[in-house]
Amino acid sequence: MPNSKQGKEPIQLHPKTGKTAQVNAKKAGGRLSAFKRFWSDTRAEFKKIIWPTRHQVTVNTVVVLVTIVIIGAVVMALDALSITGFNALVK
């Protein structure tokens, strides 16, 4: 994880409201500049994402499907037991 102090200025808060977006937008020169900064920050964050490999996605999908089948079978068995027990009590 990169050090947060590398070439970054501390976030300046507005003295009265404590909000950062208004201060940054005013310093940057308006909404267009704020949007450009937002877009460049978003692109920088997307570059940090570690995307899973095809094999990882396949393995995780199989794990999820098997888990769904097991939980579904348990719920179905509990449902059948509760119906049988209820019918035994009613008769």
Side-chain angles (χ1 to χ4, degrees), residues 15-59:
K16 292 182 181 177
T17 62
K19 296 181 181 178
T20 59
Q22 292 175 348
V23 173
N24 290 339
K26 288 179 183 177
K27 283 185 179 179
R31 293 180 189 245
L32 183 60
S33 296
F35 179 76
K36 287 179 182 178
R37 181 175 174 151
F38 167 77
W39 190 250
S40 67
D41 289 347
T42 303
R43 289 184 55 170
E45 290 298 321
F46 263 96
K47 289 180 183 178
K48 296 178 186 178
I49 296 173
I50 299 173
W51 297 100
T53 64
R54 185 177 197 91
H55 178 70
Q56 289 173 328
V57 172
T58 304
V59 169

Side-chain angles (χ1 to χ4, degrees), residues 5 7-8 11 16 19 26 29 39 46 55 58 61-62 65-66 69 72 75 78 82 89:
K5 295 182 180 181
K8 296 273 184 172
I11 297 174
K16 292 182 181 177
K19 296 181 181 178
K26 288 179 183 177
W39 190 250
F46 263 96
H55 178 70
T58 304
T61 302
V62 169
L65 292 175
V66 168
V69 168
V75 169
L78 291 174
S82 65
L89 288 175

Side-chain angles (χ1 to χ4, degrees), residues 67-83:
T67 304
I68 289 171
V69 168
I70 291 171
I71 292 174
V74 169
V75 169
M76 190 172 69
L78 291 174
D79 184 47
L81 285 173
S82 65
I83 290 173

